[in-house]
Amino acid sequence: RPISSSSTDHHPTMTSITSYPVPEGTKLTLTLPDDFHHHFRDGPATAHILEHATQQFGRAIAMPNLKPPVTTTELALAYRDHLLDNLPKHLPHGSFEPLMTLYLTDNTSPAEIQKAHATGYIKACKYYPAGATTNSDAGVTDAKKTYPALRAMAELGMVLCIHSEVSTPTIDIFDREPVFIEEIIKPLVRDMPTLKIVMEHISTKEAVDYVLSAPDNVKASITCHHLLYNRNALLVGGIKPHFYCLPILKREFHREALLSAATSGTNKFFLGTDSAPHTVDAKESACGCAGAYTAHAALQLYAEAFEQVGALDKLEGFSSFHGADHYGLPRNTGKIVLEKKEWVVPKRYAFGASVLRPLRAGETIPWSIVP
């Protein structure tokens, strides 16, 4: 239905952009997508997460912020073995490849970068500003301390994934991404002109504008929840902890800028869910964890966002081509089919010995994956 134009935050979802619904039963065939930002966690819970991720992705970048963090080649290879050992017996698309990352620290050496790259399995390093998000306490305290490692990465063609927020306590949480761009990203791009960079899960118009103006080695991933929701989803009518994520949801005009970027067709932006599972107890507490769980329905949620602006024809590039091209990976050859068919999201999913609450729990999603 038509939705009135406004730049306010009066509603949690798509409030200011005209909707272009396609008929029920419409089918959309895409090249099998990849997820360039996924949290699989560790231990017995990993198997439950992989059950969802393998339904819709051929490959996924595995985040390294475990306890302890994945800071060495040996730890990355052990984590890869753990992921492979926990794959479902039946893979709907025939295979699934975890793409491994190293957790960058002030002390990561060029030798470690070279060792990681030589495995063929470790595709990137993740830059967490110390204290910026879940399990980031061992992260980077000074960008220049990472420069020797970054130079080695640039020479080898490895990708730098960046959580693009400062963690300075005096900086307002809604301003941390724009400040990071000015203080860290711009100098880094100037100093490392050949380093492939992904600004992950961008959440602001400032980030969109910067990526569009930046050299071609700088690109960005965008989550489905940042495309569908603004900060009202988190704050209006009571605190909604399952919408709490980092970067935090922002004002409506930021969401509009992200959606415009994702659906524009430019190869500067691509899919990265940042699906981040936590137990219900860890989310619904006096100090809840940051992270939205979307692995159960990420592609369907992206389709919902793209449909809202009449851009379903741009979904394949965003989800299946742009990220693989930036990482220097061959595009997948398999296909996946989406259908405009509603389904109700379960209120809980198993998560190891506990449970988690997914995004849209107990609610409908208008798109389904055709088995």
Side-chain angles (χ1 to χ4, degrees):
R1 65 183 186 278
I3 301 174
S4 62
S5 178
S6 169
S7 60
T8 64
D9 296 345
H10 62 278
H11 190 276
T13 54
M14 312 290 271
T15 61
S16 57
I17 299 176
T18 303
S19 179
Y20 298 87
V22 299
E24 289 292 314
T26 297
K27 291 186 177 180
L28 182 65
T29 300
L30 305 173
T31 299
L32 186 64
D34 299 309
D35 183 359
F36 287 97
H37 188 136
H38 206 101
H39 294 274
F40 293 103
R41 305 305 191 211
D42 205 355
T46 298
H48 291 129
I49 306 309
L50 283 164
E51 287 178 6
H52 288 152
T54 55
Q55 296 293 317
Q56 53 199 304
F57 300 116
R59 298 171 292 207
I61 285 282
M63 288 292 106
N65 58 331
L66 307 180
K67 291 183 178 181
V70 182
T71 55
T72 68
T73 300
E74 289 78 12
L75 288 172
L77 295 178
Y79 188 36
R80 179 176 183 271
D81 288 342
H82 173 71
L83 294 173
L84 294 175
D85 289 345
N86 283 276
L87 286 174
K89 291 182 180 180
H90 170 68
L91 293 170
H93 305 290
S95 65
F96 179 82
E97 182 182 2
L99 306 172
M100 308 313 295
T101 58
L102 288 188
Y103 186 115
L104 195 67
T105 74
D106 292 348
N107 301 313
T108 304
S109 69
E112 190 66 53
I113 297 297
Q114 292 160 0
K115 184 178 180 181
H117 180 264
T119 67
Y121 300 126
I122 302 171
K123 304 298 184 182
C125 287
K126 179 61 182 278
Y127 180 127
Y128 289 104
T133 189
T134 303
N135 297 344
S136 64
D137 292 344
V140 175
T141 65
D142 181 349
K144 290 191 179 298
K145 291 182 179 179
T146 69
Y147 274 24
L150 299 186
R151 292 189 185 99
M153 290 174 61
E155 291 175 4
L156 295 167
M158 287 182 72
V159 175
L160 178 65
C161 305
I162 306 183
H163 183 113
S164 303
E165 293 186 292
V166 296
S167 54
T168 311
T170 55
I171 303 298
D172 189 281
I173 194 169
F174 291 99
D175 299 329
R176 291 183 175 189
E177 189 170 276
V179 172
F180 190 92
I181 292 169
E182 296 299 322
E183 294 186 354
I184 305 296
I185 291 287
K186 287 184 177 180
L188 177 61
V189 172
R190 180 193 64 229
D191 295 343
M192 302 284 170
T194 62
L195 178 64
K196 289 184 179 181
I197 294 173
V198 179
M199 290 181 63
E200 296 198 300
H201 47 50
I202 61 170
S203 63
T204 60
K205 184 179 186 300
E206 289 90 341
V208 168
D209 292 344
Y210 173 70
V211 172
L212 287 172
S213 69
D216 196 52
N217 59 308
V218 180
K219 295 184 169 63
S221 65
I222 306 177
T223 77
C224 52
H225 46 285
H226 284 99
L227 293 178
L228 287 169
Y229 296 99
N230 64 43
R231 63 188 185 180
N232 277 3
L234 171 66
L235 299 171
V236 170
I239 298 293
K240 312 295 196 309
H242 297 282
F243 285 102
Y244 173 55
C245 57
L246 290 173
I248 198 165
L249 296 173
K250 305 296 197 301
R251 295 183 69 98
E252 175 64 8
F253 75 88
H254 292 297
R255 189 194 65 80
E256 291 177 5
L258 294 168
L259 188 60
S260 177
T263 60
S264 67
T266 174
N267 68 358
K268 280 282 194 169
F269 306 98
F270 53 83
L271 186 155
T273 66
D274 191 19
S275 179
H278 295 282
T279 64
V280 169
D281 289 346
K283 290 290 290 181
E284 298 175 5
S285 71
C287 187
C289 295
Y293 186 72
T294 58
H296 64 297
L299 190 58
Q300 300 96 306
L301 291 167
Y302 280 111
E304 179 180 343
F306 277 61
E307 181 190 12
Q308 290 276 355
V309 291
L312 285 170
D313 61 318
K314 301 296 195 299
L315 180 59
E316 185 175 45
F318 176 83
S319 63
S320 309
F321 298 157
H322 302 162
D325 294 349
H326 187 56
Y327 273 79
L329 300 170
R331 295 176 178 180
N332 292 321
T333 56
K335 301 292 183 180
I336 191 169
V337 180
L338 294 173
E339 182 178 3
K340 184 72 177 295
K341 181 180 179 182
E342 284 190 351
W343 61 288
V344 178
V345 178
K347 292 183 179 181
R348 298 282 191 274
Y349 284 113
F351 183 50
S354 186
V355 294
L356 60 77
R357 183 176 175 88
L359 200 73
R360 290 276 182 87
E363 301 177 22
T364 60
I365 292 179
W367 287 88
S368 301
I369 292 175
V370 177

